[in-house]
Amino acid sequence: MPEAPTSLPPARFATRLAARLGEMWHGSPLYGLTLPRQAPLEFLSLPTDPWPGLAARADRLFQGRFAFAGLEVVSPHAAPWDAGIDSLNADPQSIAAWAAELHGFVWLRDFAAQGGEMAQRMSRSLVQHWIERHHAWSPRAWAAPVIGRRLTSWLGAAHFLLKDADAAFGHDLLLSVARQAAHLGRTALRESDPAARAEALLGLVYAAESLPGGHDKWPQALPNLILAWEACLLGDGGHVTRCPSRLFAQFRDVVALQHYLSAGHPERMSLLPLMDRMAPMLRFFRHGDGGLALFHGGEEEPGGALEHALLLSEALIQGKHGKPPASSAASGFERVTAKRALLLLDTGAPSASAMGRPHAAPLAFEFSHGKDRLIVNCGAARRLGGDWAEALAGPAAHATLGIEHARPAPHFTVRLQRHEQDGHAWIDAEHDGWQQAFGLLHRRRLYLGGNGDDLRGEDMLEGGAPDRPRAFTLRFHLHPSVHASLIGTGDTVLLKTQSGTGWRWRGQGGLVRLEDSVYFGQGGELRRTQQIVMGGSAAGLPVLLKWALAKIPG
């Protein structure tokens, strides 16, 4: 038997060694002496956070309930960073994500939304305690992306924090911002992941704008940030993770920074090209209720948030962004509209850049009519690891066809043709993700009538070995606002949407049943819902499943 390797490859070993030496240096008392020890006299200017917080979340924070990344730490009598998160029964990824959100202080905007003297006092108390507790470097609290988000949050909330504050708090805040910015200036560009690098550089840009002499100290902060943001985007303006929510998060950062840079200086419009690239793709993924589609870990996002961001962006460019494309080849999606109906189809492969676990559900789709979402994907739990993460990333959590309990091959090819005539549209697509494991090819044809009230589909399995039947399942997850009931001979399902509209779903070629399902599309919280399932065994090939969803006149 060959011996197991006893050492890492040289390049990987060198990277780990450099990171370890960097941690030892940053954590030493000597390193602290290289950071500013005198606070600047004042902030030159301060941004205004354009994004509203949620007072309901502030209520939880007042109770000492710190819920981030699917974990909640209850610490009513102690600061949350002293609460012992590592003792929780959670996977390391989720613990790290919880800590990053905690130390990133985005939740300060929830206190600002709550308003009032009590919210100000608690906000200042937590910031002051953090400064005292974490004045020196530590791996979690001083990770470059975390510092970047924290400086963005602190400076965006500074008007709220400093109102009626005593001089001592103002001094400590200025000094801490200066020290963290100095460290970021040395470490931000070392982040290999473009999204993490952008997170770090964003905080550095805000610090450069806010602190005296900041432009002279970090003259390349903004150009480097633009490069990092561009590296996160595909050619059509979509995000490299293919996740609509990740695109929206970056868009909000770009819009907020441009809003700050151009305040009083209209000529500083360097971020407009980025905004113009991203906005049409955000509209591409927007359903009629104003929220985003659930692909690759995304969520609907809070009501009105997307419209608010787009309106602020258009106010900055003094015009309208481009319309959403019908096809998005780089991102790998198709968008079909007819009157009030919207069909979104995933025609790409999982991205290696996705956070957590990439979703593998080729040819999954979502369908909405007006403000009613009917067919959806399940979304993703906030916790990044464990059984939920595994289940939600696979075909069974999406409106597509799965085989047994398998996942498609990590690399597969999708081929498609799109046709439109007299307002009607249909897409013929196929993927070979099941070829390697089962020798099967999945073909999907979707048709949307010109009035938007008639959606039909055909799903076919071809190839494989007839003597080795494989169980298949075709799923149609329903939005939690939709009520479903199985009627007739068992091949028909009646649907009633939140608006009171009736729809009829019919299927043939497989056993039709209604099953329980889950939905994580709103704030990452689990909601119970239902799914229509067509099942069978691919013994006699090819297998052809036909189905139709039609609005009931009324």
Side-chain angles (χ1 to χ4, degrees), residues 178-345:
R179 289 172 64 84
Q180 293 178 66
H183 178 72
L184 265 189
R186 302 167 185 173
T187 60
L189 290 178
R190 298 178 191 171
E191 294 294 324
S192 58
D193 178 66
R197 191 162 64 250
E199 196 94 30
L201 288 166
L202 180 62
L204 188 61
V205 170
Y206 276 110
E209 295 289 326
S210 301
L211 295 175
H215 287 143
D216 295 332
K217 292 176 183 175
W218 307 295
Q220 293 302 307
L222 181 57
N224 285 329
L225 172 60
I226 294 173
L227 289 175
W229 272 334
E230 287 177 342
C232 293
L233 297 179
L234 298 166
D236 55 17
H239 199 271
V240 292
T241 61
R242 306 183 62 235
C243 172
S245 289
R246 292 290 299 278
L247 178 65
F248 181 49
Q250 178 171 320
F251 183 75
R252 296 213 315 175
D253 284 340
V254 173
V255 172
L257 181 57
Q258 183 61 78
H259 184 261
Y260 177 41
L261 293 177
S262 59
H265 302 280
E267 73 282 358
R268 301 188 68 187
M269 305 300 280
S270 56
L271 304 181
L272 296 190
L274 280 171
M275 290 158 50
D276 245 357
R277 284 179 63 191
M278 290 186 282
M281 282 305 296
L282 282 171
R283 286 199 169 97
F284 182 99
F285 291 114
R286 182 172 62 174
H287 280 289
D289 61 3
L292 293 170
L294 274 59
F295 291 105
H296 301 279
E299 298 179 3
E300 292 183 18
E301 301 301 329
L306 177 55
E307 184 65 19
H308 175 52
L310 288 169
L311 287 174
L312 181 55
S313 174
E314 290 178 341
L316 289 168
I317 68 170
Q318 299 182 349
K320 294 284 186 180
H321 292 295
K323 294 182 179 180
S327 297
S328 175
S331 292
F333 291 94
E334 293 292 313
R335 184 178 194 268
V336 183
T337 60
K339 299 293 178 68
R340 303 179 66 211
L342 171 64
L343 171 68
L344 293 170
L345 177 66

Side-chain angles (χ1 to χ4, degrees), residues 69 140 257 283 378 418 515 545:
R140 275 184 184 161
L257 181 57
R283 286 199 169 97
C378 293
R418 176 173 177 146
E515 294 184 356
L545 306 174

Side-chain angles (χ1 to χ4, degrees), residues 486-493 505-507 510-514 532-533:
L486 196 64
I487 64 167
T489 59
D491 62 354
T492 301
V493 181
W505 183 97
R506 288 175 174 164
L511 179 63
V512 177
R513 58 189 187 274
L514 270 180
I532 303 169
V533 175

